[in-house]
Amino acid sequence: MLDAVYHLLRDLGAGFPLGAPPDFPRVDPAWLAALKPVSVQPAFTRRCLVSDIMTWHYAESEPFALHLAHDREFIPWMARNSINAFFYIRHAFDTRYRIEEIEALYRERGIDVEYGGHVIQQLLPREYFAEHPEYFPAAADGARMQMGNLCVASPGAMATVRNGAVDYLGHHPDTSLLHVWGADVKKGAWCQCERCRKVAPQLQYLKIVNAIAAVAADSFGATKAPPAIAYLAYHDTIEPVPGLEPLSNVWFEWAPRERCYSHAIDDPDCATNPRYFAALKRYMDLFEGRGHVFEYYADAILFGGLGFAMPAVIARDLRAYRRLGIKRVSCLTFGAFSVFAYPVNLIAFTRLAVDPDDEPQALLDISAAQRHPACGPEMAPAYRAVQRAAALTLTYGEVLRPFIPAEAVETKRAELRGAVEQLRIAIDVAGGVLARRADPLVEGERQLWSYGMETLAGIDEYMAARAGNQPASRGKAALDSIRGALQRMREIQTDLKGTWGAFDLERLHSIWMELLRGRLEVPPVVYDF
């Protein structure tokens, strides 16, 4: 009903811009008399935004207060723009499943809240390792590891995880979808003991999810529909294998993080995405259509904190997902930083999840007008340049982990130089606007795009240093340039860049730099740049 009310208000001229208060113009009573019934059926029934709960910094008063201030504005915007679910991702080191301080805001706006995430490590407490090492996964050499997931051949481990999940559901009977995910790593989190090593990670994982789903169905099925349990298709499990037999209340959650975002998921000319799209189709068959798609259109980590826009990719993606029969989609966000760096993507996702046939290019102008009501037409060319930069940059995985096949390096370097020029255009547009009027958001975006331009130029130089017999000083100079670009982000107002831009980016950037530095000391191989 709220969706219908907001749709009516938009038809009457109301505006619900991202990052700004709503606009309710005066309505002529004659307009109401002239209204005709309108029926709107959203293409996707679950339209969800997602965040890692750790990004709230809930144990630190100042960052936590900063994030909560953002939430109190963002949650109403979600409701006004047809978002009907929000999901907190928990990690191994988290101590919370939820942010109780804002739950009333979700409830009063009809937004379902979902819980879980990478929780197998919570459901099998790590302190059990001392007494029950057999509960834990074995490495290839047979040694048990305290980290990772569990040994699915161990009845004790399976019972502990199953009972922990069901206990959580018992204390939170309102849960309609519980996300039970494995450790957030590639290769090595699943058991390789004598009994498990011949069992694919997908089958090990589904054994756990099915066990939880079976007890959940028995416990809740008599009084209400049993909660759905999500099986995450991600990293080691992104592609299905023969033998997957999910129970009827198990839904797959397909998260193609390593896909290409310069092309749509169904683009046959893309070098990367056809493999992912084929895997999604197989999951749809195996799970008889019970599936969610988890997308990364506002993922600050994947994009290295660089600002990008990709409305055309989002539109074509959602049309492809709709054709497959998928009805549930979600998008990862990073609080205020995603509003600041990816406004076009957030606006595009919310609108296109209702109607994927909406015109994506118009969303660039709409986004510029929403973010800059006093100078939207002037800023629109900058947003279009940022879109062109994304199309040239996002053909591989994480922007700040540029591991490119050797034969593709020169092509990628040319693309990066093209992206640098597009960001230079955006910076010049913003500079022109600032010459005529002081605008903190325009200044912040100019700094964001400068960070992106300098970072991509540094990555281009880093690739050149890695690709040939270059002196070590050249690679180190490239890293110094990338580190220096971070100063641009430090100069952006904290209320614009939020907790992620103010706190998390610094930590992650140092990790990225250490990874790049380490590879300067290793001879390049065909698959690792």
Side-chain angles (χ1 to χ4, degrees):
M1 187 167 69
L2 282 172
D3 282 345
V5 169
Y6 287 128
H7 185 88
L8 171 63
L9 290 171
R10 280 191 291 270
D11 283 352
L12 291 170
F16 305 110
L18 179 62
D23 176 30
F24 296 105
R26 181 182 180 278
V27 175
D28 187 325
W31 297 353
L32 294 174
L35 280 176
K36 296 181 179 179
V38 175
S39 176
V40 178
Q41 182 64 51
F44 296 92
T45 57
R46 172 183 175 264
R47 303 172 299 282
C48 181
L49 295 181
V50 186
S51 287
D52 294 289
I53 199 168
M54 64 181 172
T55 60
W56 265 263
H57 293 266
Y58 44 79
E60 306 166 69
S61 58
E62 185 178 346
F64 190 35
L66 178 66
H67 205 303
L68 292 178
H70 160 76
D71 297 329
R72 294 185 183 107
E73 296 179 356
F74 189 64
I75 293 170
W77 178 85
M78 289 168 55
R80 294 165 184 150
N81 288 274
S82 298
I83 295 297
N84 59 9
F86 189 88
F87 165 34
Y88 296 111
I89 299 176
R90 179 169 174 165
H91 288 263
F93 41 78
D94 276 312
T95 58
R96 286 196 183 197
Y97 276 100
R98 55 180 66 202
I99 302 294
E100 293 87 349
E101 289 83 350
I102 53 176
E103 296 223 332
L105 296 177
Y106 292 117
R107 282 196 302 272
E108 65 194 27
R109 288 167 175 80
I111 297 174
D112 292 334
V113 181
E114 301 169 5
Y115 308 102
H118 300 283
V119 297
I120 286 178
Q121 290 175 302
Q122 271 92 30
L123 299 177
L124 177 59
R126 302 296 107 172
E127 55 267 26
Y128 284 22
F129 187 77
E131 290 189 19
H132 293 286
E134 74 278 7
Y135 286 9
F136 291 79
D141 62 2
R144 297 288 174 175
M145 305 179 293
Q146 192 169 5
M147 302 305 294
N149 296 312
L150 75 159
C151 177
V152 298
S154 165
M158 290 291 293
T160 302
V161 171
R162 180 187 65 234
N163 294 342
V166 172
D167 181 65
Y168 176 86
L169 290 170
H171 285 91
H172 303 92
D174 57 327
T175 301
S176 60
L177 174 61
L178 179 64
H179 305 259
V180 180
W181 301 352
D184 190 9
V185 299
K186 296 179 187 177
K187 299 181 181 179
W190 298 99
C191 188
Q192 299 181 66
C193 75
E194 184 83 18
R195 290 177 292 176
C196 292
R197 67 179 54 174
K198 296 180 181 178
V199 180
Q202 294 90 329
L203 298 174
Q204 291 189 41
Y205 178 34
L206 185 61
K207 183 177 180 179
I208 302 164
V209 175
N210 271 348
I212 295 169
V215 177
D218 289 343
S219 301
F220 299 94
T223 56
K224 65 166 199 164
I229 312 298
Y231 162 104
L232 181 65
Y234 171 74
H235 285 345
D236 294 354
T237 61
I238 189 66
E239 294 181 292
V241 296
L244 287 173
E245 297 181 358
L247 296 182
S248 61
N249 60 325
V250 174
W251 290 64
F252 75 83
E253 188 158 23
W254 187 74
R257 193 170 186 273
E258 288 75 32
R259 61 164 284 191
C260 164
Y261 281 97
S262 291
H263 299 91
I265 194 66
D266 66 339
D267 189 336
D269 295 328
C270 179
T272 302
N273 289 346
R275 166 202 160 198
Y276 286 92
F277 197 47
L280 175 58
K281 291 177 180 178
R282 295 200 301 275
Y283 268 119
M284 282 292 285
D285 290 340
L286 288 166
F287 281 71
E288 298 179 334
R290 299 188 310 278
H292 314 130
V293 165
F294 183 113
E295 272 294 0
Y296 294 88
Y297 304 129
D299 183 349
I301 296 177
L302 183 64
F303 304 145
L306 281 68
F308 291 123
M310 56 191 79
V313 168
I314 296 171
R316 185 164 167 181
D317 281 354
L318 295 182
R319 291 167 193 162
Y321 296 146
R322 177 182 61 180
R323 284 196 302 273
L324 288 184
I326 290 167
K327 293 291 187 180
R328 303 182 178 204
V329 290
S330 59
C331 176
L332 183 64
T333 63
F334 284 78
F337 188 85
S338 288
V339 172
F340 171 56
Y342 313 111
V344 178
N345 299 349
L346 285 175
I347 291 168
F349 177 77
T350 57
R351 290 192 175 219
L352 295 166
V354 174
D355 181 9
D357 294 323
D358 206 351
E359 171 50 51
Q361 291 309 309
L363 296 176
L364 288 162
D365 292 334
I366 290 169
S367 300
Q370 285 196 17
R371 298 294 283 157
H372 301 281
C375 55
E378 296 173 78
M379 286 297 291
Y383 281 34
R384 286 192 284 272
V386 169
Q387 177 184 232
R388 292 191 294 270
L392 290 165
T393 304
L394 302 176
T395 52
Y396 60 88
E398 293 190 23
V399 169
L400 279 165
R401 300 181 69 177
F403 309 145
I404 308 298
E407 64 274 12
V409 167
E410 287 308 311
T411 298
K412 175 46 61 182
R413 289 190 63 208
E415 291 173 345
L416 290 176
R417 290 192 291 272
V420 165
E421 289 309 309
Q422 292 303 319
L423 290 176
R424 196 185 308 278
I425 292 170
I427 293 162
D428 289 345
V429 169
V433 172
L434 289 169
R436 294 184 291 276
R437 61 170 60 86
D439 187 319
L441 178 56
V442 174
E443 173 59 23
E445 289 178 324
R446 187 181 68 84
Q447 295 282 46
L448 171 71
W449 299 330
S450 296
Y451 162 73
M453 181 183 71
E454 294 171 14
T455 297
L456 294 181
I459 292 173
D460 172 30
E461 183 65 12
Y462 174 85
M463 286 183 173
R466 284 277 288 148
N469 295 320
Q470 301 292 323
S473 59
R474 184 174 183 183
K476 292 177 181 176
L479 291 185
D480 287 342
S481 295
I482 299 171
R483 289 191 189 96
L486 191 58
Q487 183 60 31
R488 301 286 194 170
M489 294 294 291
R490 294 180 179 130
E491 294 169 359
I492 296 171
Q493 290 182 192
T494 300
D495 61 329
L496 290 177
K497 62 187 176 183
T499 56
W500 193 88
F503 305 103
D504 299 287
L505 176 58
E506 293 278 345
R507 175 181 59 84
L508 287 163
H509 204 274
S510 66
I511 294 171
W512 289 324
M513 292 303 95
E514 186 59 26
L515 287 169
L516 294 176
R517 185 201 61 77
R519 282 173 171 78
L520 285 177
E521 301 171 2
V522 179
V525 295
V526 69
Y527 55 85
D528 179 8
F529 271 86

